[in-house]
Amino acid sequence: MAATSYLSLFKILLSFLTLISLVSTQYKLFSSLLVVSAIGMDFLYFYMSQRFDNRSNFNTYLKFTADDIFLILVLVALSKIDRLHVWVTIFLTCVCFIISGLRCYAASEKVMISLVVNGKLAFIFTYLGILGLILDFRRSYWLLLIVV
């Protein structure tokens, strides 16, 4: 298994730690640091996959799965502590499933979906929105909706 796969598995573990720290609301700073470390892991994953050219179908699957797990768990935790409306969580979770389904369909048709600038902008707005909500900026959910 490649090092990038271990990064993705660690991000899944980080997702659950972020969920636990968000639900215990007294750890806002720690939760923010966990989200920032998830951002760092995404950049490290991108660097390692480009530098060492260890892109495989399994690594790609694991990375997108880890990203979806992280996003969904953080959104659910933010809804639980009343920082995000439930309808936003449901809507963004549905979008995650739709995008995953489209990726599966593209993979079954042997179509390669390359990374584009829009994906990087979506990544930036998503994590900025999550950090804003963790730090209690109430209107930060609009950044999440801009992504869609």
Side-chain angles (χ1 to χ4, degrees):
M1 194 160 33
T4 52
S5 297
Y6 290 116
L7 273 176
S8 296
L9 290 173
F10 186 70
K11 187 170 183 179
I12 293 172
L13 175 67
L14 190 72
S15 303
F16 288 100
L17 288 174
T18 307
L19 172 74
I20 292 168
S21 70
L22 278 172
V23 172
S24 3
T25 57
Q26 61 218 9
Y27 302 115
K28 278 197 307 193
L29 182 62
F30 182 65
S31 301
S32 300
L33 290 175
L34 289 175
V35 171
V36 169
S37 65
I39 294 170
M41 284 180 16
D42 278 347
F43 283 113
L44 184 61
Y45 178 91
F46 179 73
Y47 171 76
M48 289 175 66
S49 65
Q50 297 295 321
R51 172 89 171 138
F52 302 114
D53 197 30
N54 58 358
R55 289 169 273 174
S56 69
N57 290 338
F58 180 70
N59 287 347
T60 303
Y61 162 77
L62 200 55
K63 191 223 183 299
F64 287 125
T65 302
D67 289 345
D68 287 347
I69 288 172
F70 183 81
L71 181 63
I72 290 170
L73 287 180
V74 168
L75 292 175
V76 167
L78 288 170
S79 292
K80 166 89 173 80
I81 61 172
D82 292 327
R83 298 268 174 88
L84 186 64
H85 298 289
V86 175
W87 68 268
V88 177
T89 299
I90 292 169
F91 181 72
L92 291 174
T93 302
C94 290
V95 168
C96 280
F97 284 124
I98 289 169
I99 291 173
S100 293
L102 288 173
R103 284 189 184 126
C104 288
Y105 176 71
S108 70
E109 296 290 324
K110 307 275 191 261
V111 175
M112 181 64 164
I113 301 174
S114 62
L115 295 174
V116 293
V117 175
N118 295 345
K120 304 244 186 278
L121 289 175
F123 166 80
I124 290 168
F125 281 124
T126 301
Y127 281 99
L128 284 176
I130 288 171
L131 280 173
L133 288 168
I134 289 172
L135 297 173
D136 210 11
F137 298 124
R138 291 281 180 184
R139 299 290 179 207
S140 296
Y141 69 88
W142 286 107
L143 286 172
L144 296 174
L145 292 177
I146 288 172
V147 171
V148 177

